[in-house]
Amino acid sequence: MKPSISVLGMGRMGSALARALLEAGYRTTVWNRTAQKTAPLAALGASVAPSVREAIDAAEIIVVNVSDYGATSALLRGSDVAPGLAGKVIVELTSGTPDGARETSRWAKAQGAGYIDGAILATPDFIGTEAGTILLSGAPELYTGNAEVFRALGGNVQHLGAEPGLANALDSAVLALMWGALFGGLHAIAVAEAEKIDLGELGRQWTATAPVIEGLVGDLIRRSNAGRFASDAETLSSVSPHYGAFQHLKALMQARSIDRTVIDGYDVIFRRAIAAGHLHDDFAALSQFMRAA
Ligand SMILES: NC(=O)c1ccc[n+]([C@@H]2O[C@H](COP(=O)([O-])OP(=O)(O)OC[C@H]3O[C@@H](n4cnc5c(N)ncnc54)[C@H](OP(=O)(O)O)[C@@H]3O)[C@@H](O)[C@H]2O)c1
């Protein structure tokens, strides 16, 4: 028999999670601090719990999706709520840090609850679809025992391992890739506008060059993993031509008074690597100058 599930948090994401569970035929109870937001889910067949404790009492699996782990603590750790968690499985899908997940996992276990932490790498419209990506970490038996529930939330659900911080850690790494691209987009827009280039044309060139950039990032990750920092026959580009072209971007931005706060940071990393003798090494050599001390 399918387990009963409560979802705490009916923001954009929590509502999408509850909708996907209802569509997959799970008995779903919802709770939200602002009660009106539960109405669309009630219309789809969800039970609405008037309190967090009643939501917990109503289900075997408790999915939490609020704004941050501070909010999760505020919901779960009250003296009226925490005793109800023994024997339940908490699935914490709120975004957070690896340490936040580790601490929440320890706390949940001390209450006698099972704990799986997750990070959602998708917008709400992807939840419940084949392309929905959710990373999970925590007790493997809780993942395998509830694989169907997780599958209902997204076709690309990955269990990374038993260590509860893994999902949030990989989430942050992927977000670093995303913001690299988004801030790169902001620079490109500023440069194009200053040089009176139509942004539609910029968009077309992005589409044309995105596969090249994707290839470079993939190569960077593979080389850093293998520690292949010296230039070799497969090197796509050494530090030297990158730094040369980067000087053109810097000069243009300076000439047009475009904000260089982020670009100056790139320059620091380039110069560190070059000073250490890596001008003619593979671009991947730069990864040694950004690693944790
Ligand atoms: N939206 C996305 O595309 C997306 C993608 C990946 C991950 N996520 C993650 O999913 C989580 C929720 O995001 P969202 O987009 O759904 O945000 P949202 O629409 O702003 O919803 C936030 C939710 O948290 C609740 N909340 C905040 N503080 C609370 C507190 N102290 N006590 C009780 N409830 C509290 C809100 O309740 P009220 O309604 O009462 O304010 C609401 O239900 C975040 O961790 C976010 O990083 C979102």
Side-chain angles (χ1 to χ4, degrees):
M1 189 160 121
K2 289 185 172 211
S4 51
I5 304 174
S6 282
V7 184
L8 306 181
M10 287 298 109
R12 286 178 192 84
M13 185 54 83
S15 296
L17 296 168
R19 240 184 339 263
L21 293 169
L22 286 165
E23 277 166 17
Y26 288 95
R27 280 169 297 129
T28 305
T29 299
V30 297
W31 175 89
N32 195 58
R33 179 179 61 179
T34 308
Q36 303 93 286
K37 290 189 190 169
T38 59
L41 282 304
L44 294 174
S47 304
V48 177
S51 68
V52 176
R53 178 61 195 254
E54 282 160 279
I56 286 168
D57 289 346
E60 295 149 77
I61 298 177
I62 316 299
V63 175
V64 186
N65 186 257
V66 285
S67 47
D68 53 40
Y69 281 56
T72 300
S73 293
L75 293 188
L76 300 184
R77 300 194 190 200
S79 58
D80 50 336
V81 172
L85 289 168
K88 310 283 177 174
V89 174
I90 299 171
V91 179
E92 166 61 295
L93 296 181
T94 302
S95 301
T97 63
D99 282 346
R102 289 168 191 136
E103 196 279 327
T104 310
S105 173
R106 278 193 296 274
W107 179 84
K109 283 178 189 160
Q111 312 311 306
Y115 185 85
I116 291 262
D117 201 273
I120 301 173
L121 273 70
T123 46
D125 48 328
F126 278 88
I127 297 303
T129 72
E130 276 307 306
T133 296
I134 301 180
L135 307 177
L136 298 171
S137 50
E141 66 280 8
L142 292 182
Y143 171 68
T144 44
N146 296 294
E148 259 186 60
V149 175
F150 297 124
R151 181 77 181 69
L153 299 178
N156 187 30
V157 172
Q158 314 269 342
H159 183 251
L160 302 174
E163 202 281 285
L166 283 173
N168 282 348
L170 185 54
D171 183 40
S172 286
V174 173
L175 287 174
L177 280 173
M178 180 189 78
W179 283 312
L182 288 175
F183 275 90
L186 295 177
H187 286 129
I189 291 164
V191 167
E193 283 179 343
E195 289 289 330
K196 309 216 172 348
I197 293 167
D198 170 43
L199 289 187
E201 187 56 42
L202 175 64
R204 282 187 286 283
Q205 295 312 319
W206 161 248
T207 305
T209 53
V212 178
I213 297 169
E214 196 184 318
L216 284 167
V217 174
D219 187 58
L220 170 64
I221 294 169
R222 282 188 297 277
R223 278 186 167 269
S224 299
N225 188 32
R228 285 173 59 210
F229 300 127
S231 280
D232 57 31
E234 287 162 15
T235 286
L236 298 169
S237 182
S238 68
V239 173
S240 174
H242 274 288
Y243 196 57
F246 176 72
Q247 296 311 310
H248 308 150
L249 173 65
K250 243 178 60 179
L252 188 162
M253 290 175 82
Q254 193 164 6
R256 300 287 177 220
S257 303
I258 297 169
D259 187 280
R260 297 196 312 282
T261 309
V262 179
I263 287 288
D264 286 344
Y266 296 173
D267 204 15
V268 171
I269 306 297
F270 266 126
R271 281 190 280 112
R272 262 186 220 159
I274 291 166
H278 294 279
L279 184 63
H280 300 294
D281 282 346
D282 192 280
F283 182 84
L286 264 63
S287 72
Q288 301 169 98
F289 296 86
M290 289 185 67
R291 284 186 167 150

